[in-house]
């Protein structure tokens, strides 16, 4: 079976005419038969793309050949099938939505937390004056997080700025932020600095790179990802399961999409509750007439369309 690659990356680097760039870039990606999701903004690029190894290699080469993106780091995974169905490349106001468009306050190109490589992060996390801050949302950290990390009760990263007051007690500590691939930390750590936190660090490349380069040690549970895989294992040193069934509280690492397509909520659910609720998150969803048949995986993939002939 042919193996594919999935690439995760971001690059904060100003793009002039970003809207036009997005349209052209979409054509370019389609010419390589890539699938995925890319966000283009005036401040840079953020994407996950998937395709044959050759296509992914050509894509990385093209990105690196553009001097604006020469420093881009790709996190590369080998996958059995492409991690998306279609190719999307869209222009948005920010590459990660923080709601903070004032670049005079938050501009990761100018000021952001100190980057820690995975091994440096690993050396620091057990020190006394350090706190580890997970800047991701509830559905992400409920599936897995670093041991002893502080998590925030947020549904979306744009709620992060509202939570900074709750962290005031840590202003004089070394604050180590982390997220999935590093992109949110560029803004989160910049914002912490802006609010008077003195010693702010960020895990460069996020949990994904930490998994590859530091074995994922002390990351408890799984890492939520924004593609069809939903969750990936990152810890090969001391793996554990921390997530609990949304319905009964049993420890389980299984994450499902609710079988009710109108809900489609991502929840952790044990096999027993999955069988009882036909793969739904709740009794209410079980009664939905459009409920999809539950095959025990809790995973519903749309029928893949060959990307090169689809009109969109
Ligand atoms: Zn359960
Ligand atoms: Zn549901």
């Amino acid at each position: 079976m042919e193996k594919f690659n999935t690439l995760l990356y971001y690059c904060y680097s100003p793009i002039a005419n970003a809207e036009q760039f997005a349209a052209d870039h979409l054509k370019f990606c389609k010419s390589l038969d890539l699938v995925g999701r890319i966000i283009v903004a005036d401040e840079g690029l953020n994407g996950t793309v998937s395709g044959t190894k050759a296509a992914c290699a050509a894509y990385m080469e093209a990105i690196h050949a553009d001097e604006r993106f020469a420093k881009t780091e790709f996190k590369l995974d080998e996958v059995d099938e492409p991690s998306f169905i279609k190719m999307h490349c869209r222009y948005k106001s920010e590459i990660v939505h923080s709601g903070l468009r004032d670049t005079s306050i938050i501009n990761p190109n100018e000021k952001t937390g100190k980057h820690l490589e995975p091994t440096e992060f690993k050396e620091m996390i057990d020190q006394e004056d350090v706190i580890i801050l997970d800047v991701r949302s509830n559905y992400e950290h409920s599936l897995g997080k670093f041991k002893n990390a502080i998590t925030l009760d947020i549904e979306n990263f744009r709620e992060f700025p509202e939570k900074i007051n709750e962290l005031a007690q840590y202003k004089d500590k070394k604050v180590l932020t982390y997220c999935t691939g590093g992109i949110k930390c560029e803004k989160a750590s910049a914002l912490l600095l802006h609010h008077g936190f003195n010693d702010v660090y960020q895990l460069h490349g996020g949990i994904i790179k930490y998994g590859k380069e530091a074995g994922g040690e002390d990351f408890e549970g799984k890492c939520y990802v924004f593609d069809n895989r939903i969750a990936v294992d990152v810890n090969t040193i001391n793996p554990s399961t921390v997530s609990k069934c949304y319905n009964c509280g049993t420890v389980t690492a299984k994450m499902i999409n609710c079988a009710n397509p109108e809900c489609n909520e991502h929840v952790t659910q044990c096999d027993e509750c999955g069988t009882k609720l036909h793969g739904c998150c709740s009794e209410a969803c079980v009664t939905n007439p459009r409920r999809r048949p539950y095959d025990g995986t809790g995973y519903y993939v749309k029928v893949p369309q060959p990307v090169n002939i689809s009109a969109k």
Side-chain angles (χ1 to χ4, degrees):
M1 192 177 185
E2 187 184 14
K3 292 274 187 183
F4 297 86
N5 280 151
T6 292
L7 310 173
L8 178 72
Y9 68 95
Y10 69 87
C11 183
Y12 279 100
S13 180
I15 302 176
N17 278 323
E19 240 171 312
Q20 183 59 46
F21 179 90
D24 296 341
H25 199 64
L26 176 63
K27 282 185 201 143
F28 173 65
C29 291
K30 286 185 170 180
S31 75
L32 290 173
D33 277 346
L34 290 168
V35 286
R37 194 183 302 129
I38 299 171
I39 298 169
V40 177
D42 301 345
E43 65 184 0
L45 282 178
N46 173 20
T48 310
V49 297
S50 200
T52 62
K53 288 183 173 182
C56 287
Y59 183 78
M60 290 188 283
E61 197 181 324
I63 290 289
H64 283 150
D66 186 321
E67 62 181 25
R68 292 171 292 185
F69 316 126
K71 293 184 310 215
T72 306
E73 280 192 24
F74 289 93
K75 278 137 274 185
L76 188 142
D77 270 325
E78 193 165 274
V79 290
D80 290 329
E81 54 185 45
S83 307
F84 291 86
I85 305 296
K86 282 187 175 176
M87 186 67 233
H88 295 284
C89 180
R90 296 201 176 99
Y91 173 77
K92 293 192 177 178
S93 60
E94 298 179 89
I95 51 174
V96 60
H97 188 45
S98 67
L100 300 162
R101 288 177 206 166
D102 186 346
T103 51
S104 68
I105 297 176
I106 304 298
N107 185 351
N109 287 316
E110 280 170 15
K111 193 179 186 194
T112 186
K114 289 164 231 163
H115 292 92
L116 293 176
E117 291 307 314
T119 49
E120 297 172 309
F121 182 86
K122 193 170 166 176
E123 278 163 26
M124 274 182 82
I125 50 179
D126 291 324
Q127 290 176 15
E128 277 210 343
D129 52 344
V130 161
I131 67 142
I132 308 162
L133 177 64
D134 191 321
V135 306
R136 300 170 307 150
S137 306
N138 291 334
Y139 61 90
E140 299 172 285
H141 60 67
S142 65
L143 193 62
K145 66 175 186 68
F146 276 104
K147 186 177 82 181
N148 300 328
I150 292 165
T151 57
L152 303 170
D153 180 14
I154 54 176
E155 298 297 327
N156 190 294
F157 185 62
R158 64 176 173 267
E159 296 166 35
F160 177 80
E162 299 159 23
K163 293 287 173 180
I164 293 210
N165 289 339
E166 292 176 17
L167 302 170
Q169 56 183 306
Y170 305 117
K171 269 193 180 164
D172 298 321
K173 302 253 185 193
K174 291 189 176 108
V175 179
L176 274 54
T177 71
Y178 73 88
C179 62
T180 314
I183 183 172
K184 289 176 181 172
C185 286
E186 299 280 0
K187 285 191 178 176
S189 63
L191 193 62
L192 290 167
L193 288 168
H194 175 73
H195 282 270
F197 290 75
N198 293 314
D199 222 0
V200 183
Y201 302 80
Q202 57 183 315
L203 175 56
H204 184 215
I207 301 159
I208 300 294
K209 181 165 147 152
Y210 183 84
K212 293 182 193 307
E213 295 182 11
E217 188 171 3
D218 290 336
F219 188 85
E220 301 172 328
K222 292 190 180 216
C223 180
Y224 187 95
V225 291
F226 299 86
D227 60 55
N228 287 346
R229 295 171 296 170
I230 303 176
V232 296
D233 288 308
V234 290
N235 187 336
T236 51
I237 295 173
N238 55 353
S240 60
T241 303
V242 291
S243 46
K244 296 194 171 72
C245 174
Y246 176 77
N247 302 103
C248 74
T250 305
V251 171
T252 179
K254 185 175 176 185
M255 185 165 240
I256 62 147
N257 275 11
C258 176
N260 168 12
E262 289 164 27
C263 170
N264 207 37
E265 194 72 38
H266 282 171
V267 295
T268 44
Q269 188 178 62
C270 71
D271 283 328
E272 203 174 312
C273 290
T275 306
K276 221 171 3 189
L277 291 166
H278 306 278
C280 288
C281 73
S282 63
E283 297 285 355
C285 284
V286 177
T287 60
N288 189 289
R290 291 182 58 208
R291 171 159 64 80
R292 298 168 284 201
Y294 179 61
D295 67 1
T297 64
Y299 178 62
Y300 307 93
V301 187
K302 293 170 216 155
V303 181
Q305 305 285 332
V307 277
N308 51 348
I309 56 168
S310 71
K312 263 195 85 183

